[in-house]
Amino acid sequence: MKQEDKSLPLTALSLKGNQNLDRPQILFGVGSLCALLRAKRMPWLETLSLASCRIFAGSVTELGEVMATGVLRRLQHLDLSGNFLDENSAIALVGGVRASVVPSLSKVTFWDELPSLPWGEGAEVLLSGLLKGVDELPKNLEISNMY
């Protein structure tokens, strides 16, 4: 008997501005999104926007770890602007944006304004990690500070 395909036919998912995504009592938060991604329920996803959702380091780390498993191979644009990174989440994101796991990725947006980085040293770690792993990045990857 053939297993029923339970994937969702989504190519774009925008949760932009939903500032409740990082609260444990929320039914559909970052943890739920990551569970759906791990279960390969969104294999067609090309655009994922979690901009200005007030997501903190733990959730960004979880997303980076999920991306590193290769479940978002069709992802072209990831927008995490307006959220909070720290060193650990920055390292997890570096692992999640390698060409071997997201070969179609062409644009990543991490912040809105460079002068007022709310997440301190995470930016340095992220950019340093991206530069060190430049051979592993998708070709023509644009790292942006504006959507």
Side-chain angles (χ1 to χ4, degrees), residues 62-116:
E62 184 178 8
L63 180 62
E65 290 169 351
V66 169
M67 288 178 64
T69 67
V71 297
L72 292 174
R73 297 195 59 78
R74 296 177 192 268
L75 190 67
Q76 296 172 16
H77 181 220
L78 173 65
D79 187 354
L80 291 173
S81 60
N83 292 295
F84 305 99
L85 296 174
D86 66 4
E87 185 173 337
N88 292 331
S89 57
I91 291 168
L93 281 174
V94 169
V97 297
R98 293 187 331 266
S100 60
V101 294
V102 283
S104 300
L105 191 65
S106 60
K107 184 174 183 179
V108 179
T109 309
F110 289 111
W111 50 78
D112 292 319
E113 295 179 21
L114 287 174
S116 59

Side-chain angles (χ1 to χ4, degrees), residues 1-146:
M1 179 177 213
K2 187 177 178 181
Q3 185 177 356
E4 183 181 338
D5 181 16
K6 294 185 179 186
S7 65
L8 302 171
L10 294 174
T11 58
L13 177 61
S14 176
L15 298 172
K16 183 177 182 176
N18 185 336
Q19 297 185 1
N20 294 318
L21 287 181
D22 219 7
R23 295 184 182 169
Q25 68 271 24
I26 298 302
L27 181 61
F28 185 83
V30 176
S32 298
L33 173 63
C34 289
L36 286 171
L37 295 173
R38 268 192 211 93
K40 300 179 182 177
R41 297 292 300 273
M42 297 185 203
W44 312 110
L45 202 59
E46 297 174 356
T47 301
L48 177 58
S49 177
L50 298 172
S52 302
C53 290
R54 299 184 54 111
I55 297 171
F56 289 89
S59 294
V60 176
T61 298
E62 184 178 8
L63 180 62
E65 290 169 351
V66 169
M67 288 178 64
T69 67
V71 297
L72 292 174
R73 297 195 59 78
R74 296 177 192 268
L75 190 67
Q76 296 172 16
H77 181 220
L78 173 65
D79 187 354
L80 291 173
S81 60
N83 292 295
F84 305 99
L85 296 174
D86 66 4
E87 185 173 337
N88 292 331
S89 57
I91 291 168
L93 281 174
V94 169
V97 297
R98 293 187 331 266
S100 60
V101 294
V102 283
S104 300
L105 191 65
S106 60
K107 184 174 183 179
V108 179
T109 309
F110 289 111
W111 50 78
D112 292 319
E113 295 179 21
L114 287 174
S116 59
L117 294 177
W119 27 276
E121 295 178 10
E124 292 178 28
V125 172
L126 177 66
L127 294 174
S128 172
L130 287 172
L131 292 175
K132 284 180 186 174
V134 74
D135 294 337
E136 296 180 16
L137 294 177
K139 291 183 179 186
N140 304 314
L141 178 64
E142 176 186 342
I143 300 171
S144 175
N145 68 334
M146 300 173 80

